[in-house]
Amino acid sequence: MRLKFLLRPGWLGLIALVAVFTTLCFTLLAPWQFSRSDEAQARNNAISESFHTPPRPLTEVLPAGQVPDERTEWSQVLLRGQYLPEGETLGWQRTVLGEPAFEVLTPFRLDDGTTVLVNRGFVRPVNGTRAPAYDAPPTGEVTLTARVRADENDSKQRPLFEHDGHRWAYALNARTISEGTGIDLRPGYFALNEGQPGVLGALPLPRLESGPYFSYALQWIAFGIMAIIAIAYLIYSELRPGARPAWREGAEPAQGTEQPRRKKMSVAEAIAEDERREREEAERRQAANPEPSNKP
């Protein structure tokens, strides 16, 4: 059977490796990059649409305490109520415009009695880990325009902590801040637009670009196809009649064939062998060019 060589341990290991790699490429890595591309495109579409849609009341965008999702995130909403500065919390170790920052989160009680978390913007740290002095939120009833944002997730589920006279959060998550402050908050948070009452450094919107995710997905598919082509070529090279694959040069001879073994010679034997070859070469030359006869 010509394919019997595939049952050798080396071939079995190679085939298994290629099978696992191509499976990962086609079922995990490429779909993962496609999903990231879809998420980036959905975010871009939501941000672009929000520029052309006027702000709407919160109850129209997120009725009955609805959790923000990809359909409602980045939508502009109107909030009317008053700040609750006693629940103010700072976001720890953030990055805004490529530089370290802290984000200021203040609960905001709406006219209907529910409370939402408002992101008032960012401030730059002092000495790396200290919050600077910043303006307090305005008192009394105000109307805000903000963008809907979904909660962040902290994989370690770390609670709030105290530092430098402030309350801090590792992730911008309404539930975590609610547990740490004792204020019941709706899911998600709301980032203030530029020029709104109580805003500090307004958070910039993400750049509208899809990123390299789609091309990465195509690369993973190409890698999987290349792996299949490579293993197929190796098998074909092994099956060619009378052919010895280049990658096996110097390896053991194929089954059923004999490879002559060169006898090791001593220095004296090697010199004698060279002299013998020289004599044979001289005799062949003499036979091929006989001396002309001197007879008249």
Side-chain angles (χ1 to χ4, degrees):
M1 183 177 180
R2 300 188 63 189
L3 296 178
K4 188 176 181 180
F5 67 91
L6 294 177
L7 299 178
R8 298 173 187 168
W11 277 101
L12 291 176
L14 180 60
I15 293 173
L17 179 62
V18 171
V20 171
F21 177 72
T22 54
T23 300
L24 290 176
C25 288
F26 296 150
T27 64
L28 180 63
L29 298 173
W32 171 51
Q33 294 295 342
F34 278 132
S35 66
R36 296 185 69 185
S37 178
D38 292 340
E39 291 172 2
Q41 188 60 47
R43 181 200 63 193
N44 294 342
N45 293 340
I47 294 175
S48 299
E49 184 179 353
S50 70
F51 288 124
H52 307 289
T53 304
R56 295 181 295 165
L58 177 61
T59 53
E60 293 183 12
V61 179
L62 296 173
Q66 179 181 328
V67 178
D69 55 20
E70 64 275 3
R71 296 173 300 174
T72 55
E73 191 169 20
W74 304 106
S75 299
Q76 296 191 85
V77 296
L78 294 172
L79 307 173
R80 183 169 181 81
Q82 59 183 1
Y83 284 105
L84 302 179
E86 64 272 16
E88 194 161 82
T89 303
L90 275 65
W92 178 254
Q93 293 183 343
R94 313 291 293 180
T95 300
V96 178
L97 297 175
E99 297 183 9
F102 301 138
E103 295 181 26
V104 181
L105 309 164
T106 308
F108 188 83
R109 181 162 293 161
L110 303 175
D111 289 342
D112 62 4
T114 60
T115 306
V116 298
L117 186 63
V118 170
N119 189 330
R120 296 173 55 207
F122 70 94
V123 293
R124 297 298 182 189
V126 176
N127 297 328
T129 60
R130 298 185 59 188
Y134 56 87
D135 295 336
T139 59
E141 191 170 86
V142 294
T143 299
L144 308 176
T145 301
R147 292 182 183 274
V148 179
R149 296 299 312 275
D151 283 323
E152 298 177 356
N153 293 318
D154 180 14
S155 59
K156 298 181 180 179
Q157 300 294 319
R158 292 169 291 185
L160 305 186
F161 66 97
E162 299 288 335
H163 168 69
D164 192 32
H166 296 277
R167 185 187 298 113
W168 300 82
Y170 288 101
L172 308 190
N173 185 284
R175 179 177 179 181
T176 302
I177 295 176
S178 177
E179 294 172 352
T181 61
I183 300 174
D184 188 24
L185 298 171
R186 286 183 54 153
Y189 67 94
F190 301 84
L192 290 183
N193 289 348
E194 185 75 39
Q196 297 302 303
V199 71
L200 299 170
L203 294 170
L205 294 174
R207 296 179 60 182
L208 299 183
E209 57 183 13
S210 299
Y213 309 120
F214 188 81
S215 62
Y216 287 167
L218 296 181
Q219 288 178 13
W220 283 119
I221 293 176
F223 291 156
I225 294 174
M226 290 168 61
I228 295 175
I229 293 175
I231 189 67
Y233 175 76
L234 292 178
I235 294 174
Y236 167 75
S237 299
E238 186 76 20
L239 291 175
R240 283 187 301 174
R244 184 175 181 78
W247 59 272
R248 292 189 59 188
E249 288 295 334
E252 71 279 357
Q255 186 176 2
T257 63
E258 294 183 359
Q259 183 176 9
R261 296 182 179 179
R262 181 176 296 178
K263 181 181 178 181
K264 294 183 179 179
M265 296 185 294
S266 65
V267 176
E269 290 175 335
I271 294 175
E273 179 67 16
D274 290 340
E275 293 177 349
R276 183 185 65 81
R277 292 178 179 177
E278 291 178 357
R279 288 196 302 269
E280 292 178 352
E281 181 66 22
E283 292 175 357
R284 283 196 298 269
R285 290 177 180 176
Q286 186 175 3
N289 301 298
E291 295 183 0
S293 176
N294 293 329
K295 294 182 179 181

